Amino acid sequence: MNKLYKARIILFAAIFCTNIAMAQITSVAFGTANMNTGTNLVANGSFENTTGSWTGYWGPTTNFTPILGIPNWTAIGGGINTYASIADNYVPPIPTEPLPPQAFKMISFGNGLVISDVAPIFNPTTGEVSFATNPTFTPDAAGFGAINQGVSIEQNISGLTIGNTYRLEMYVTGKSILNPTTTFYSQDGIFKIEIVDGANNYNKFLAVPSYNSPHGYANAANPFMRYYINFKPTTTNVTLKFTSFGYVNYSWPVTGTELFMDDVSLNNLGNILPLQLTSFVAALHTNNDVQLNWETADELNVKNIEVQRSTDAINFNTIAMVNAQNKLQNSYIFNDKIYGNALFYYRLKIVDNDGSFKYSKLQAVKNKILKNSAYILENPVKDNITLVNLSLKKCMLSLLNGNGMEISRKAYNNISSTQLDISTLSSGLYFLKIVSPESNETLKFIKQ
């Protein structure tokens, strides 16, 4: 999983309709790259203004004098051994603590050893942590955060746009990850991210990687995970809250490492698609055959992709429902069959799990086959058969079964196209006979 996570924002033209459903945390992923390059809405997200040396304490009940200040962040909780430490390249850190990604400062905070009564379940793809039942965290002893189960820092963010997507990112690693001789931390740790949105609290437990993470999160060569958490606020003000449980004892001697965090950032991505459509091409592959190719990135929590077609660029029909792959990079191919000398338009309707959707730009394809006679627009057909290119003053249409027996007959005058209801027919082979003063022809079709 330690590969660069690429995001390419594509600005779409010809987007005709947008439907936004309110959502909260819409996706969680991780990689190694810092993708937020715009204005960071989190003040002191890199903890560069933090005072004190490599270690300090907070909380009214600590048995040490609180000495560590964290400007713009509020510290919450506090037991007897509540702590925070700063690793930087000015004051040498503890030998088993890694330097931050940009070789400046990063923060570690916690409450000593905490016991979880439920074993965590780690997702190696997203870094999310789940539990079979709701966990309870308790201190191991009176000297390890006896008053509070976890220790938190939080910051209020204001001025958000309701319905837009925001990307919260942070680097995360675990204590001792750079020390291959350390065996005390034998499992990945956990921490909790909460987004307090008005009266709602949306949260995720996330992994803290240990040395040679058993779930593939990190290793000595690439010790830092970069989490990407997309969410849509329902209010203009949210509180970002991070809770560390110190180092966690799941069942001795299986012990999870403690949290180190750096470069917390929040960017406004605007009203984006549930994925990034990096390319979309529709072209005549062979006579009557159209091939659609599209590629996506940043595809997470996408429900499906609808392929839609039109002959007037206004009225579209869904001709296929494609299951989303929900990977960081994806490629899709869909083949369609068209008839006549008409111009056809294609678009993709991208639907997120929360119900929001957007349309891609249009792709136009013109069939090169010239047809002077009537033809069936789609074959096989389901409920309705569309007969086009008649251009007849007078004709008789007869519907025949596979044995040539007539099922129905109807006369028409001055029509260029018509549609027949075949929903009551059984599946199988059928014929449509067209008799007029100018021609006499029989078309066959398959009823699905």
Side-chain angles (χ1 to χ4, degrees):
M1 282 299 298
N2 291 301
K3 54 185 178 182
L4 289 180
Y5 181 88
K6 300 178 181 179
R8 289 167 279 182
I9 304 297
I10 305 299
L11 298 178
F12 294 105
I15 292 178
F16 296 96
C17 178
T18 301
N19 175 44
I20 300 175
M22 290 296 98
Q24 287 73 46
I25 295 178
T26 59
S27 66
V28 177
F30 73 87
T32 58
N34 186 342
M35 290 166 41
N36 280 342
T37 57
T39 300
N40 184 11
L41 302 179
V42 177
N44 193 25
S46 295
F47 308 100
E48 302 306 316
N49 298 323
T50 304
T51 60
S53 62
W54 66 267
T55 189
Y57 303 88
W58 72 59
T61 62
T62 180
N63 55 357
F64 299 95
T65 301
I67 62 174
L68 189 64
I70 314 175
N72 302 108
W73 292 92
T74 299
I76 302 173
I80 294 175
N81 197 29
T82 297
Y83 65 89
S85 64
I86 294 293
D88 58 44
N89 63 339
Y90 303 112
V91 180
I94 297 175
T96 57
E97 293 177 355
L99 290 173
Q102 79 283 58
F104 293 118
K105 294 182 179 181
M106 66 180 177
I107 189 173
S108 174
F109 55 97
N111 228 26
L113 177 61
V114 173
I115 297 175
S116 171
D117 67 334
V118 182
I121 303 170
F122 292 88
N123 186 323
T125 302
T126 66
E128 295 180 78
V129 179
S130 59
F131 300 86
T133 60
N134 290 332
T136 298
F137 299 96
T138 56
D140 180 62
F144 294 100
I147 291 180
N148 189 270
Q149 298 173 357
V151 180
S152 307
I153 59 172
E154 69 178 30
Q155 185 173 143
N156 181 260
I157 311 295
S158 60
L160 304 186
T161 300
I162 297 174
N164 276 8
T165 295
Y166 289 80
R167 174 178 283 138
L168 173 65
E169 293 189 22
M170 76 290 299
Y171 282 115
V172 169
T173 191
K175 188 182 178 83
S176 304
I177 195 171
L178 295 185
N179 188 344
T181 63
T182 300
T183 59
F184 181 75
Y185 305 103
S186 56
Q187 180 59 277
D188 295 315
I190 55 176
F191 74 107
K192 187 179 184 181
I193 169 66
E194 298 174 76
I195 300 175
V196 183
D197 184 3
N200 302 311
N201 183 318
Y202 310 104
N203 58 78
K204 295 282 186 181
F205 284 96
L206 301 174
V208 181
S210 62
Y211 178 77
N212 278 339
S213 167
H215 306 101
Y217 297 132
N219 52 44
N222 296 290
F224 292 95
M225 301 170 66
R226 183 71 174 173
Y227 276 106
Y228 316 108
I229 302 172
N230 287 0
F231 70 94
K232 294 180 181 180
T234 61
T235 62
T236 59
N237 296 275
V238 301
T239 298
L240 305 178
K241 183 177 181 180
F242 301 87
T243 299
S244 171
F245 300 95
Y247 54 100
V248 185
N249 180 5
Y250 306 132
S251 72
W252 191 266
V254 179
T255 302
T257 188
E258 60 184 297
L259 169 73
F260 276 78
M261 187 169 65
D262 196 23
D263 288 345
V264 182
S265 63
L266 181 67
N267 278 188
N268 184 358
L269 302 184
N271 183 12
I272 65 170
L273 284 166
L275 52 75
Q276 304 306 325
L277 188 62
T278 57
S279 68
F280 174 41
V281 177
L284 194 67
H285 188 56
T286 59
N287 290 343
N288 293 52
D289 294 317
V290 175
Q291 186 173 93
L292 282 69
N293 296 270
W294 67 94
E295 296 181 352
T296 68
D298 200 10
E299 182 178 313
L300 294 165
N301 292 333
V302 178
K303 183 178 181 181
N304 54 53
I305 302 171
E306 296 182 23
V307 180
Q308 297 188 340
R309 184 180 61 198
S310 171
T311 56
D312 58 10
I314 299 175
N315 301 298
F316 283 84
N317 294 316
T318 297
I319 60 174
M321 197 85 71
V322 179
N323 292 329
Q325 298 177 23
N326 281 313
K327 299 177 182 178
L328 299 185
Q329 293 181 326
N330 312 273
S331 296
Y332 297 90
I333 297 177
F334 177 79
N335 294 303
D336 188 32
K337 186 174 288 293
I338 58 177
Y339 295 89
N341 196 32
L343 186 63
F344 292 86
Y345 300 89
Y346 293 90
R347 71 182 181 188
L348 304 176
K349 181 180 179 181
I350 302 166
V351 184
D352 203 359
N353 279 336
D354 64 14
S356 61
F357 65 82
K358 270 192 174 180
Y359 295 121
S360 72
K361 64 182 180 180
L362 296 183
Q363 289 289 316
V365 176
K366 187 176 182 180
N367 194 16
K368 297 179 181 179
I369 298 298
L370 292 175
K371 278 186 174 285
N372 296 320
S373 58
Y375 58 93
I376 297 170
L377 185 60
E378 294 180 341
N379 195 358
V381 294
K382 291 184 178 180
D383 296 328
N384 294 283
I385 185 170
T386 303
L387 188 64
V388 297
N389 205 36
L390 290 170
S391 301
L392 300 173
K393 293 182 179 181
K394 186 178 181 180
C395 69
M396 180 70 70
L397 299 183
S398 297
L399 178 62
L400 313 176
N401 64 18
N403 296 323
M405 297 179 60
E406 187 176 75
I407 299 174
S408 65
R409 177 190 299 183
K410 187 175 181 180
Y412 293 87
N413 290 307
N414 297 318
I415 62 169
S416 60
S417 65
T418 189
Q419 192 172 77
L420 305 177
D421 183 1
I422 59 169
S423 58
T424 59
L425 296 182
S426 302
S427 299
L429 174 66
Y430 293 87
F431 299 93
L432 193 61
K433 187 175 182 180
I434 308 170
V435 178
S436 71
E438 294 84 9
S439 64
N440 188 336
E441 57 184 316
T442 301
L443 307 176
K444 67 179 179 179
F445 66 93
I446 302 295
K447 167 65 167 61
Q448 291 183 331

